[in-house]
Amino acid sequence: MMYCLGVQDDGRPDGVSHEELTETIYTVQRMARQLGCDVVVLRVARGSRGVGYNMAEVLVRRKLSDFLDLRVCVVGNEDAGKSTLMGVLTSGDLDDGEGFARMDVLRHRHEIE
């Protein structure tokens, strides 16, 4: 979820003082920590009220604690079921016999046709 800090309810990017912005970011980080989320400050820019008034865009997202980056090479003849096997393993859903499971792993139009 992306949040814009220092923006009025009507969308005006007025900005807030440096102290207020720092305090607001700290509060968002504390709340996110309690929910098991990460906070990334994407951008800080000058508000429309001028020097000393800034706004910020922050991204709040859940931590991926159980994320595993795994690369697998599957080799076999055409129509051997390589994509179907990968679809079943990654989604946990069994194939319906008509290629349902492999649709989750296909990324390009020529792979689907």
Side-chain angles (χ1 to χ4, degrees), residues 42-68:
L42 300 175
R43 180 173 81 111
V44 175
R46 182 179 300 165
S48 63
R49 288 174 29 189
V51 177
Y53 293 94
N54 295 323
M55 53 173 280
E57 292 178 355
V58 296
L59 178 66
V60 180
R61 59 184 171 190
R62 286 188 316 185
K63 290 181 182 179
L64 297 175
S65 58
D66 295 333
F67 181 73
L68 175 65

Side-chain angles (χ1 to χ4, degrees), residues 78-103:
E78 181 181 355
D79 293 330
K82 302 176 294 290
S83 297
T84 301
L85 173 65
M86 295 308 300
V88 169
L89 292 176
T90 57
S91 71
D93 297 327
L94 295 178
D95 188 57
D96 64 355
E98 295 185 19
F100 172 76
R102 70 187 189 98
M103 291 301 164

